[in-house]
Amino acid sequence: PAPKTPPQSPLHARKGMLMVGHRGLSDEAPENTLAAIRLAFAHGAEGVEFDVQRSKDGELFLLHDDTLRRTAAPQRGVDLEFVSEETYQAMLDKDVSELSYWDFVRHVNVGSRGSETFASERPCLLREVVAEIPDGRFALCEIKGGDEACARDIAEFVAVNAVPEDKLTFIGFDFELMVLLKRLLVEVGKGDMQVISLKDAYTEVAALEHIAVARQAGLDGADFEADASVVTPRVVDAAKDADLHLGVWIWKEQLPASDRAANVATFSDIGVTFFTSDMPPDVRAWMAESSTASPCSSCASFK
């Protein structure tokens, strides 16, 4: 029999700009939790973005920072009565690569720092999140810089668990690590999985240069901050000519207006592949309105 054709990634099948929930729907739910992931899809996101860390015992789980301090509950909860408060506070400041997932990380409340609504949320495993991705939707999985062990474990994870090529796309700021991951995916028979390079590019020229470098390295795309002075129609055309995906992401500390509907519309009009947003109310309203409109003609011909 003829070999099966792998599922087509939503990045390839799209007819307009895809909206991606940044760490889930992090405007309403705690970042990188199952609640945030589910809410993003429920509110119409085509994709979600999340960050993956690797624990001391080799588990791949969702967390942005290298420690639990920022996202964990200020005091230990009932799940952690087996450790003292002093020990809990000390462990929150440890690099999570030095912590056991099953002995500690899994028991940490990462949902109630701002509200008790999500108090049941705990750091979830990568495999739990993959199971939550609906058919036809996808996730951007960010790998932290320098974590070669994590990259190797991820390649093994997608191969052993036969993760469909259309479910996960990998992103990261560490360029050499992304090149390594692409090679590892090819080696395990998952070369159709997309690997995209994140880059802080502060000028149009820098973005154009990075697109050329990404193409030469055999990566599948580039992802820049959502700054219209950097990601211009010229940059979009360069990515299209290079047969690369082109994403943008919000950076509210440096670009306060980046996660507003007007900015989202700007990037939709010029035809970027995806926009990663916290999905605040005005952006969700734009998404709802756009879902009933015809996609822009420039988007349909993009990779």
Side-chain angles (χ1 to χ4, degrees), residues 17 233 236 262-272 286 295-299:
M17 185 178 75
V236 172
N263 197 44
V264 175
T266 294
F267 287 104
S268 177
D269 288 344
I270 65 174
V272 303
W286 178 89
C296 66
S297 58
S298 61
C299 297

Side-chain angles (χ1 to χ4, degrees), residues 137-181:
R137 310 289 181 92
F138 70 102
L140 300 176
C141 175
E142 181 176 345
I143 303 174
K144 295 304 173 184
D147 198 343
E148 184 175 322
C150 184
R152 293 186 180 279
D153 282 359
I154 281 178
E156 181 181 2
F157 167 80
V158 298
V160 169
N161 293 281
V163 178
E165 284 81 354
D166 62 335
K167 292 294 184 186
L168 289 181
T169 289
F170 299 101
I171 60 175
F173 282 100
D174 186 329
F175 188 80
E176 295 305 320
L177 190 64
M178 293 300 99
V179 174
L180 170 64
L181 177 60

Side-chain angles (χ1 to χ4, degrees), residues 12 169-186 191-199 210-223 239 242-246 303:
H12 293 99
T169 289
F170 299 101
I171 60 175
F173 282 100
D174 186 329
F175 188 80
E176 295 305 320
L177 190 64
M178 293 300 99
V179 174
L180 170 64
L181 177 60
K182 187 66 179 181
R183 177 172 64 79
L184 293 171
L185 290 170
V186 170
D192 286 331
M193 281 187 154
Q194 307 293 282
V195 179
I196 293 175
S197 174
L198 287 164
K199 176 70 174 177
H210 193 68
I211 286 170
V213 170
R215 180 189 184 188
Q216 185 176 18
L219 298 183
D220 302 295
D223 195 2
D243 198 28
L244 296 183
H245 304 301
L246 181 63
K303 180 174 180 177

Side-chain angles (χ1 to χ4, degrees), residues 20 39 44 55 61 66 78 90 93 103 119 124 127 158 184-186 205 214 234 242 254 276 278 283 286-287 290 301:
V20 176
L39 277 173
S55 66
F61 67 98
D66 291 333
V78 293
D93 290 322
D103 291 343
C124 55
R127 64 173 177 264
V158 298
L184 293 171
L185 290 170
V186 170
V205 170
R234 185 182 174 200
Q254 298 293 326
T276 302
D278 285 349
V283 171
W286 178 89
M287 290 167 60
S290 299
S301 59

